[in-house]
Amino acid sequence: MERDQLLGMIKEEQAKNGSVSDGAMAHIAQTLHLPIGNVYGVTTFYSFLSTRPLGRHVIHICKSVPCFLQNGAMMAAAIEKELGISPGETTSDGRFSFELTNCIGACDQAPAMLVDDEVYGDLTPEKIGEILKSFE
Amino acid sequence: MPEKKILTKNCGKIDPGDVSTYEAEGGFKALEKTLRISPEEVIAEVKASGLRGRGGAGFPCGAKWELARKSKGDEKVLICNADEGEVGTFKDRYLLQHDPFSLMEGMAIAGYAIGAGKGYIYLRSEYHYLLEGLQKAIDQSKEKGYLKDLEIEIREGAGAYICGEESALMNSIEGKRGESRFRPPFPPESGLFEKPTIINNVETLVNVPHIIQNGSEWYGAMGTDESKGTKLFCVSGDVARPGVYEMELGCDLKELVMDLAGAKEIKMIQVGGSTGGIIPSDMLSTPLAYETILGSGAVMVFDQTRDVVDFTYRTMEFLNEESCGKCTPCREGTEVMVGVLGRLVNGEGVDGDMEVLEELSDTMKLSALCGLGQTAPVPVLDTLKYFRKDYENRISQSVFLRSLKTVNG
């Protein structure tokens, strides 16, 4: 195994267990014969990787300018109200984590968000409620 | 000038999940033609066409290929940059969604020209939903024998704007933090794993089959002196019809945003993404080209109700978050700018704030390591140039607010 597999391995760990724990980082470091600091450095560099446990579904709502112009902040507020959590938090039942993110390249459907890997555009507070209901 | 569909001619017409529909539209004919001529002739044709990089920097494509071709080294690498993190940009997503085969053909031709056996597509993780379709396009093209000499592997990012910068992108593929590298050496000489490397944007590569198929003369007849061909523009913000529009380079900004996208009562437009320049409403007839203003092709429209300082603050907050942190001018410069702009937004501005922004801008432009830090001041300087009154108002409002506090306090 070469070092260039590192990001893929971290991503796989996150996909499988929802986050990258200290133990997982240590294990990856051993497998690739890397200092654990390198693994930690890469894990914490990227905004879609997390060292703290996340919910079963992760909502990334776009806060960049094109979405902001189309009331993106109102959509973030709608999610806060719907789930009772602020950005960076996870619901107590572990169903959702909610994050603000930078441009997701769906500016033609602004305001937009990702729930896990799916993109949802042309959001309204009502639509958000409907979308979130479809997730277990 | 109406829309001119060349790169997007197949979009909506072919089935992006079936290579034979691409072949039926004349797909891979350019690759067949390529394989009948020498790599040097391919490079000469691309050079003669005047094709420049579509990711934002605008480097001449053929010249870059030539450097890699001539570079010593047994193994050469081709990377397709599909990291499209630039704010307001979604053209590559559009191409990948509707016509991934054009990219396969472009990569096969590029690989042949520079002599690369290995190709990567670096896909941003925000576009994970495109991965399956893209892999299918690779598999089908391979099955049909179009990727005999180029093995293409998709590598995914994990959420980092900076990884669209070519040297950070290579670090990311290598399993390192996505930080920019010092240059030289430049990638055509020593890039991914220190091998000669060519990094081209999705849209750049999609241009290539058309150039080979129809010739550089045909291609060079479109556009302006320094900007040949067509360009995909991503229109967003205060418009009735946001979306991707393909236009000949040198086209009129006003026509694009007003006639095609339906913008009204425009205050300003940012062209090229978060570090793009600002066009105020009285300069709407600016042609869109490398000579004037272009960047990634993002066109964000702001109407009269929008606040300029709020916009600049939000943009700087983005750049500050996405700065990789390696060089001081960018890491600290964007931090201080967020501080100053945040003061202005919150009614806590002080005299001299504009001068601080200008001085810091000069330092960052001169000394930052990569494009992010060097161009981060552009929206600040442009808004200070065209909307200075808005900044002055913020400062005088701040002074007024403080005087009230003194009276009441």
Side-chain angles (χ1 to χ4, degrees), chain B residues 358-373:
Chain B
E358 280 164 340
E359 194 185 339
L360 193 52
S361 294
D362 284 344
T363 309
M364 290 166 70
K365 275 163 71 178
L366 275 172
S367 58
L369 175 60
C370 80
L372 198 163

Side-chain angles (χ1 to χ4, degrees), chain B residues 45-67:
Chain B
E45 197 67 29
V46 173
K47 261 178 100 172
S49 74
L51 173 65
R52 293 170 66 174
R54 298 294 197 239
F59 195 84
C61 181
K64 190 151 98 174
W65 286 10
E66 193 170 42
L67 287 173

Side-chain angles (χ1 to χ4, degrees), chain B residues 157-174:
Chain B
Y161 168 73
I162 188 63
C163 288
E165 193 280 330
E166 59 179 17
S167 67
L169 187 158
M170 292 188 293
N171 276 345
S172 181
I173 293 183
E174 289 181 9

